[in-house]
């Protein structure tokens, strides 16, 4: 199975999860897609993964601090990338790789040459990250444990990682 077909499959499955209200699984899949930022635009991947984590935090109050930690770090990295987009000579080695140490997220990847979102959105995210940096209800780093879900959702995630479509996500005709 090629890398491209793997990330395309995961992205399609993530969107189906989102449509079906499986917010925790959607967030896990979007975070998992970050390992492919050598193939997909990094700014888009970090923005969308942060957005998925934010949605998961709103839908799952019990795990809100967990997902907010992801959101904070992912959108922080997105903002770092947004700044690098202004410099045509910028490379990913200018970024601090320590927040993602021990993950499968590459530290060496291409910097996109244009913004994925409008400048107004960048400004809104910058304000969100600044405000969130004062919030003591969650940690401002990636959680120590890998993204974990309920056993049912972990089973769906495993099926997706095998390149298959779980029955719960198959389109009804």
């Amino acid at each position: 199975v090629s890398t491209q077909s793997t990330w395309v499959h995961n992205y399609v499955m993530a969107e189906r999860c989102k449509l079906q209200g499986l917010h925790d699984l959607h967030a896990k899949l979007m975070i998992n897609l970050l390992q492919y930022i050598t193939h997909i635009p990094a700014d888009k991947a970090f923005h969308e993964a942060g957005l998925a984590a934010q949605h998961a935090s709103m839908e799952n109050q019990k795990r809100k601090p967990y997902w907010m930690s992801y959101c904070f770090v992912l959108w922080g990295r997105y903002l770092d990338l947004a700044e690098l987009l202004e410099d045509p000579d910028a490379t990913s080695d200018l970024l601090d790789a320590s927040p993602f140490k021990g993950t499968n997220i590459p530290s060496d990847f291409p910097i996109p040459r244009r913004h994925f979102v409008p400048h107004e959105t960048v400004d809104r995210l910058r304000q969100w990250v600044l405000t969130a940096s004062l919030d003591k209800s969650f940690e401002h780093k990636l959680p120590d444990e890998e993204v974990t879900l309920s056993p049912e959702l972990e089973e769906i995630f495993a099926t997706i990682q095998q390149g298959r479509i779980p029955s719960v996500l198959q389109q009804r005709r």
Side-chain angles (χ1 to χ4, degrees), residues 10-20 26 29-30 48:
N10 284 358
Y11 190 80
V12 169
M13 293 296 99
E15 290 304 303
R16 286 190 185 176
C17 288
K18 179 178 167 183
L19 291 173
Q20 295 203 19
H26 175 243
L29 286 165
M30 294 307 290
E48 289 188 350

Side-chain angles (χ1 to χ4, degrees), residues 31-138:
I31 291 166
N32 187 263
L33 280 169
L34 293 172
Q35 69 184 299
Y36 300 106
I37 58 175
T38 55
H39 303 283
I40 58 178
D43 65 324
K44 177 179 179 167
F46 279 101
H47 176 267
E48 289 188 350
L51 191 59
Q54 184 187 45
H55 286 151
S57 78
M58 292 187 291
E59 296 298 322
N60 188 340
Q61 289 300 307
K62 189 173 116 182
R63 297 191 67 186
K64 184 173 182 164
Y66 177 81
W67 287 120
M68 290 298 287
S69 294
Y70 270 102
C71 186
F72 179 81
V73 172
L74 298 174
W75 276 350
R77 175 50 45 103
Y78 169 79
L79 291 172
D80 294 341
L81 285 167
E83 286 183 26
L84 287 183
L85 285 170
E86 305 303 321
D87 179 359
D89 298 324
T91 60
S92 61
D93 63 337
L94 296 173
L95 298 170
D96 176 12
S98 64
F100 301 99
K101 188 176 185 203
T103 71
N104 60 359
I105 300 170
S107 58
D108 184 23
F109 54 89
I111 301 297
R113 292 295 147 216
R114 62 180 185 274
H115 289 275
F116 167 68
V117 298
H119 287 288
E120 300 79 36
T121 302
V122 175
D123 292 339
R124 193 176 73 247
L125 292 177
R126 187 174 286 112
Q127 186 60 47
W128 186 94
V129 169
L130 285 171
T131 302
S133 68
L134 303 173
D135 189 338
K136 305 254 187 269
S137 68
F138 65 92

